[in-house]
Amino acid sequence: MKNKFYVTTPLYYVNASPHIGHSYTNIAADTLARFYRNRGYEVYFLTGTDEHGQKIAKVAQEQGLDTLVFADRMVAVFKDLWQKLNISYDDFIRTTEKRHEDTVRWILDFLHKNGDIYQDEYSGWYCVPCESFWTQDQLIEKMCPDCRRSVEHISEFNYFFKLSKYQDWLIDYIKSHPDFIKPQSRYNEVLSFLEGNKLRDLCISRPKERLSWGISIPFSENHVTYVWFDALINYISAVGFSYDDKKFKKFWPADIHLMGKDILRQHAIYWPIILRALGIEPPKMIFAHGWWLTSSKGDKQKMSKSKGNIVNPLDIIKEYGVDTYRYFLLREVPFGLDGTFQEEALKKRFNFDLANDLGNLVYRTLTMAEKYFSGEIPQNIDKSLILANPIMKMMEGLAGRIDKAMLSVDFSSALAEIWLLINAANKYIEETKPWQLSKGKKTKELEEFIFILIEVLKKVACEISPFMPDTASKIEGQIKKDKIKKAPPIFPRIE
Ligand code: MSP
């Protein structure tokens, strides 16, 4: 049986259009999915939309639309962007789908019967944009401690999930699974939070009179479930939990949940505890990446719709192409750290890494193959003679070095490895001086030289394909079995 790889992204709220931040997680997930497919794994790549909760109901109402009609329109916007960015998801789940709603209700019933859900009076503060409850002393200057916006006071009967009961278990679990939360700084953060604070049980319901846009709770006519409790369950409802045992056994546990650091707490605390209460294994890894910030007047801020400082991915890809955008996001900032999005930096990456290094290597190699061998790729090469060539040696170990980087979800290092080869090949051209070989009628050497460079191009195309799928096909399209088919430069310089 093939190895499987199950990768997920957060489900994005449909209250606003996707921006760089959302596209970042999906591009990262897509790159992992393509990488593992290339390596022969059976991949399940899940993304989707989070459609319940107060803030979505509110925006739909403001626009005078039925909430589901509004959500349908937004789903189309998300799917359109994913298609333009070459996001090869295998499944797109919406929290309004039957498979999801039925699974959530099944789980609520199960936890209720087991005594992990109970009813109690709730009184406290609620932040609508974050869909989160806060106590008086958690507020900062009477505002939400996460987003610093105003909160509403609430007092009502609600259902609670016994998070606190599982706190010690979670601490032990995290301690005995050092790779469970990545990167290391986030692992430390979660662990010290758990060791320093007593978890409060999680309020998982909303009275219908205040909010009806949610999944109704099977054991209470008057409540719907809390949007976060509903949304996290997508990771198992998509792969069959409660209705398709075979599929569930095949893909669960997920190999990696990707998300931004803003929603680490829900994924690293609520989610493993919900799973534990259900008797299900936790995901293998939770990886929280950093934020894309925008800088205005030296002040760095998280990009978000409500702050009005977003960069629209569509504008960037129109100007620079999809693969430039994918490359830039994954190369510029080590995965896990924050980065500031600057178009100047992207332009630089384009001109140096893509036009000068990669584009030039492809174009020069094919030009020489045309010039010296009329486009025929030399075939009669004694492979044993070229094995000692440093470029061949470098290629031999490349896949292993990339595997290692990808195992630690380190996209920028994986790309850096590929660029070491690209740059070594460019240097090899300069040092070999093919024009002199040609003048001196050193045909054998010239054949070997072109052969090696074509091997490099094939290798580069293969290894960059998870990151830059279109570019990989463009390169592959120019190298047929024994003949080349040169096209114009793939990354013409921008002035
Ligand atoms: N609906 C919840 C997630 C539920 S998952 C079961 C949610 N949605 S969201 O639309 O707000 O998307 C949050 C995610 O978008 C972040 O975790 C991150 O993956 C991505 N980003 C949104 N803004 C971002 C940046 N400025 N920078 C990087 N990524 C960020 O939270």
Side-chain angles (χ1 to χ4, degrees):
M1 207 183 78
K2 271 196 192 176
N3 280 328
K4 67 88 188 173
F5 185 76
Y6 177 25
V7 53
T8 70
T9 73
L11 297 195
Y12 304 105
Y13 288 130
V14 290
N15 62 316
S17 303
H19 58 68
I20 290 195
H22 309 110
S23 74
Y24 186 46
T25 322
N26 272 38
I27 288 171
D30 182 63
T31 301
L32 285 176
R34 288 174 186 271
F35 173 83
Y36 282 98
R37 281 188 205 115
N38 280 359
R39 296 285 195 264
Y41 284 65
E42 179 164 1
V43 168
Y44 201 87
F45 168 14
L46 175 70
T47 189
T49 42
D50 192 352
E51 305 182 13
H52 291 122
Q54 204 163 329
K55 76 173 156 194
I56 288 151
K58 213 169 138 197
V59 180
Q61 199 185 20
E62 278 161 15
Q63 301 198 4
L65 289 171
D66 171 76
T67 320
L68 193 58
V69 170
F70 169 75
D72 288 347
R73 290 188 188 176
M74 292 306 293
V75 166
V77 174
F78 275 87
K79 285 188 170 170
D80 177 61
L81 178 64
W82 300 154
Q83 194 208 336
K84 292 198 166 91
L85 292 175
N86 276 324
I87 305 300
S88 62
Y89 56 81
D90 298 291
D91 191 1
F92 187 106
I93 190 163
R94 301 179 55 176
T95 54
T96 48
E97 276 174 58
K98 185 173 185 318
R99 60 171 168 165
H100 179 70
E101 298 200 345
D102 286 352
T103 303
V104 171
R105 274 192 284 265
W106 188 99
I107 288 174
L108 284 165
D109 244 341
F110 181 91
L111 297 176
H112 187 236
K113 281 184 189 133
N114 267 3
D116 280 324
I117 289 178
Y118 61 92
Q119 202 183 26
D120 204 356
E121 159 123 42
Y122 179 83
S123 161
W125 299 90
Y126 193 64
C127 172
V128 177
C130 293
E131 304 276 13
S132 294
F133 281 117
W134 304 105
T135 58
Q136 181 72 39
D137 41 297
Q138 284 174 316
L139 300 182
I140 299 179
E141 291 168 355
K142 297 189 183 156
M143 301 282 179
C144 166
D146 265 5
C147 73
R148 303 298 167 93
R149 281 175 278 208
S150 54
V151 285
E152 297 172 9
H153 192 265
I154 275 169
S155 176
E156 59 200 21
F157 258 100
N158 267 317
Y159 287 91
F160 289 80
F161 171 61
K162 286 190 183 163
L163 272 190
S164 56
K165 173 174 155 193
Y166 298 95
Q167 178 161 5
D168 292 340
W169 166 80
L170 185 58
I171 292 174
D172 286 346
Y173 186 85
I174 292 174
K175 281 186 170 163
S176 58
H177 294 79
D179 288 331
F180 179 50
I181 301 166
K182 289 277 171 187
Q184 186 67 37
S185 56
R186 304 285 163 223
Y187 175 97
N188 298 343
E189 193 181 294
V190 172
L191 194 57
S192 69
F193 175 82
L194 284 170
E195 288 181 327
N197 297 276
K198 182 101 198 63
L199 283 183
R200 246 181 281 262
D201 289 342
L202 182 67
C203 178
I204 57 143
S205 69
R206 299 290 178 268
K208 278 188 184 163
E209 62 201 33
R210 187 157 67 75
L211 172 78
S212 59
W213 184 241
I215 298 177
S216 57
I217 291 189
F219 41 86
S220 167
E221 283 181 347
N222 306 320
H223 290 89
V224 296
T225 193
Y226 169 43
V227 55
W228 265 106
F229 185 82
D230 147 12
L232 288 164
I233 289 171
N234 92 86
Y235 300 129
I236 56 176
S237 68
V239 288
F241 181 71
S242 85
Y243 63 92
D244 185 346
D245 226 29
K246 203 166 145 224
K247 183 173 179 185
F248 184 66
K249 285 215 174 87
K250 181 166 176 187
F251 291 108
W252 193 260
D255 293 82
I256 184 166
H257 289 327
L258 288 178
M259 77 220 57
K261 64 182 184 181
D262 46 332
I263 54 174
L264 176 62
R265 184 168 36 109
Q266 289 86 341
H267 282 85
I269 299 177
Y270 303 173
W271 181 228
I273 291 183
I274 294 171
L275 289 167
R276 174 69 182 175
L278 289 168
I280 302 173
E281 227 181 302
K284 289 188 196 153
M285 186 189 285
I286 289 171
F287 196 111
H289 63 68
W291 283 340
W292 282 98
L293 311 166
T294 46
S295 112
S296 84
K297 299 175 205 119
D299 176 30
K300 289 186 183 171
Q301 281 194 328
K302 180 178 181 234
M303 219 178 271
S304 77
K305 166 88 180 188
S306 57
K307 292 188 185 128
N309 60 0
I310 56 165
V311 176
N312 185 343
L314 291 174
D315 296 338
I316 303 290
I317 63 175
K318 210 163 126 203
E319 181 90 11
Y320 301 95
V322 179
D323 280 356
T324 308
Y325 181 66
R326 292 176 62 118
Y327 176 78
F328 177 75
L329 293 183
L330 297 178
R331 179 73 196 263
E332 185 73 3
V333 175
F335 205 59
L337 302 183
D338 290 349
T340 311
F341 189 86
Q342 279 164 325
E343 203 171 328
E344 265 317 299
L346 182 134
K347 224 183 252 178
K348 241 188 184 156
R349 287 278 179 198
F350 182 94
N351 278 336
F352 288 96
D353 304 9
L354 301 180
N356 275 6
D357 301 343
L358 175 58
N360 239 343
L361 177 66
V362 175
Y363 196 73
R364 280 160 104 189
T365 300
L366 299 188
T367 303
M368 290 187 292
E370 270 184 344
K371 185 167 165 195
Y372 300 129
F373 301 107
S374 322
E376 310 270 342
I377 300 170
Q379 300 293 324
N380 298 319
I381 304 293
D382 184 346
K383 306 265 160 63
S384 63
L385 285 182
I386 57 169
L387 282 182
N389 182 294
I391 300 284
M392 295 299 287
K393 283 234 141 76
M394 198 169 182
M395 269 196 280
E396 209 182 86
L398 183 63
R401 292 192 295 276
I402 294 175
D403 284 352
K404 202 171 151 224
M406 294 299 271
L407 213 57
S408 21
V409 205
D410 184 353
F411 302 108
S412 56
S413 296
L415 284 167
E417 286 293 345
I418 303 172
W419 255 256
L420 283 179
L421 174 64
I422 292 172
N423 290 331
N426 276 322
K427 200 158 155 240
Y428 174 54
I429 298 177
E430 272 127 49
E431 286 170 352
T432 309
K433 301 196 177 65
W435 52 93
Q436 287 185 2
L437 294 181
S438 164
K439 232 198 242 150
K441 300 254 173 315
K442 298 200 164 153
T443 313
K444 195 87 220 122
E445 281 91 335
L446 203 52
E447 278 181 352
E448 280 174 15
F449 168 76
I450 294 293
F451 179 86
I452 291 172
L453 288 176
I454 297 281
E455 289 297 298
V456 170
L457 295 189
K458 287 191 206 157
K459 187 70 164 183
V460 167
C462 163
E463 297 299 346
I464 61 167
S465 68
F467 302 86
M468 309 168 82
D470 283 349
T471 305
S473 330
K474 276 189 198 160
I475 298 173
E476 277 156 2
Q478 296 185 47
I479 305 168
K480 297 290 157 210
K481 219 165 153 263
D482 44 14
K483 185 110 184 111
I484 62 130
K485 207 168 153 265
K486 198 177 85 176
I490 47 180
F491 293 104
R493 263 187 87 86
I494 302 173
E495 292 319 322

